């Protein structure tokens, strides 16, 4: 005997989907400015940066992993370390466009994710941003291969999930804007840090140096590209967030 479907479940699913895909009112300008200052406070002072940089590393290694999959490489795993370094291992052709794009994705990922987040917030899709971030972190968790990395991703994803489920619109807006500002601002500093390490003869196997070997384009030009992406994303994303 066929069991009739429960119409209430269909209504509930439609309501949830409508809430996720719908738009929410933009927060007041003062809140946008406060969230920008909060993100700056998390990225500028070195003691706080040593902690908050873990979130940038998640985006960095996630960028490597996502582009590896999109270019047809086989993603073997991702490791995140307590010193805020990380490692993404993929298998496939060691040269060619796929490998180049994968190597270039790390330092550009935080800024581009921030730019995408700013685009969503500029159109009022605060809830959608929180759910997309949660889904990306959950997908990344499946590829984490060490305990510290798993714990970091779980805590970060849990924060997004709890905020999206348990808090009101104002708190959700504040959290979402802070996260996006953090990606935009936090995407700038690692490139300058990499440049400083290379100037002192360190980081000989950095992403820029790997790209130089893959393309015969000097590492300095790849650093310039990283700078251009991060700074342009900050300017463009910042204008969207501020409603300019």
């Amino acid at each position: 005997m066929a069991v009739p479907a429960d119409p209430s479940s269909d209504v509930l699913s439609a309501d949830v989907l409508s809430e996720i895909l719908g738009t929410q009112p933009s927060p007041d300008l003062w809140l946008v400015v406060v969230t920008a200052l909060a993100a700056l406070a998390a990225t500028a002072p070195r003691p706080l940066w040593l902690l908050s940089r873990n979130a940038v590393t998640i985006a960095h290694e996630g960028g490597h992993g996502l582009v590896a999959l999109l270019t047809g490489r086989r993603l073997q795993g991702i490791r995140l370390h307590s010193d805020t370094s990380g490692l993404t291992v993929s298998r496939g052709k060691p040269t060619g466009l796929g490998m180049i794009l994968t190597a270039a994705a790390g330092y550009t990922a935080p800024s581009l994710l921030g730019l995408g987040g700013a685009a969503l917030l500029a159109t009022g899709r605060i809830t959608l941003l929180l759910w997309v971030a949660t889904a990306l972190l959950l997908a990344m968790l499946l590829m984490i291969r060490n305990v510290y990395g798993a714990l970091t991703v779980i805590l970060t994803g849990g924060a997004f999930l709890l905020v999206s489920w348990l808090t009101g619109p104002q708190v959700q807006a504040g959290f979402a804007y802070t996260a996006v500002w953090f990606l935009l601002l936090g995407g700038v500093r690692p490139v300058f840090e990499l440049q400083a390490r290379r100037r002192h003869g360190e980081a000989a196997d950095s992403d820029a140096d790997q790209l130089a070997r893959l393309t015969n384009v000097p590492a300095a030009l790849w650093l310039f590209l990283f700078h251009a992406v991060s700074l342009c994303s900050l300017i463009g994303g910042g204008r969207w967030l501020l409603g300019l």
Side-chain angles (χ1 to χ4, degrees):
M1 181 177 67
V3 178
D6 184 2
S8 63
S9 63
D10 294 336
V11 173
L12 181 61
S13 299
D15 288 343
V16 172
L17 187 61
S18 176
E19 181 179 353
I20 294 173
L21 298 179
T23 60
Q24 294 77 42
S26 298
D28 295 331
L29 180 60
W30 69 265
L31 181 60
V32 178
V33 174
V34 167
T35 57
L37 293 175
L40 182 62
T43 56
R46 181 171 174 77
L48 281 178
W49 174 242
L50 293 177
L51 177 63
S52 64
R53 199 183 193 282
N54 284 285
V56 176
T57 303
I58 291 175
H60 180 115
E61 299 303 331
H64 283 313
L66 178 60
V67 174
L69 291 173
L70 292 177
T71 55
R73 299 181 62 80
R74 296 186 300 277
L75 184 58
Q76 299 293 105
I78 299 172
R79 303 178 73 88
L80 306 173
H81 305 131
S82 59
D83 63 354
T84 72
S85 65
L87 177 66
T88 299
V89 178
S90 63
R91 294 195 178 278
K93 188 178 178 182
T95 58
L97 183 60
M99 187 63 214
I100 293 170
L101 292 176
T102 299
Y107 279 96
T108 56
S111 297
L112 293 178
L113 286 172
L115 186 63
L120 287 177
L121 294 180
T123 58
R125 288 174 169 80
I126 297 171
T127 303
L128 179 59
L129 181 141
L130 295 174
W131 280 76
V132 168
T134 303
L136 289 174
L137 288 164
L138 179 60
M140 184 175 178
L141 180 61
L142 300 177
M143 299 308 302
I144 295 294
R145 295 294 182 263
N146 66 324
V147 174
Y148 181 83
L151 180 61
T152 304
V153 173
I154 289 172
L155 290 175
T156 307
F160 277 92
L161 184 61
L162 290 175
V163 168
S164 62
W165 271 107
L166 301 179
T167 65
Q170 194 80 345
V171 175
Q172 290 184 11
F175 184 85
Y177 272 78
T178 302
V180 170
W181 275 119
F182 175 78
L183 286 173
L184 291 171
L185 291 165
V188 174
R189 183 163 179 172
V191 186
F192 283 98
E193 292 176 339
L194 174 59
Q195 185 175 5
R197 291 200 305 272
R198 294 191 72 258
R199 190 182 302 119
H200 291 91
E202 304 172 3
D205 201 36
S206 69
D207 292 355
D209 293 281
Q210 292 182 41
L211 286 163
R213 291 192 290 269
L214 286 167
T215 62
N216 292 321
V217 174
L221 289 182
W222 286 107
L223 275 172
F224 176 80
L225 173 65
F226 296 162
H227 279 303
V229 170
S230 63
L231 293 173
C232 288
S233 295
L234 175 58
I235 294 170
R239 289 177 59 85
W240 284 341
L241 293 176
L242 293 169
L244 302 177

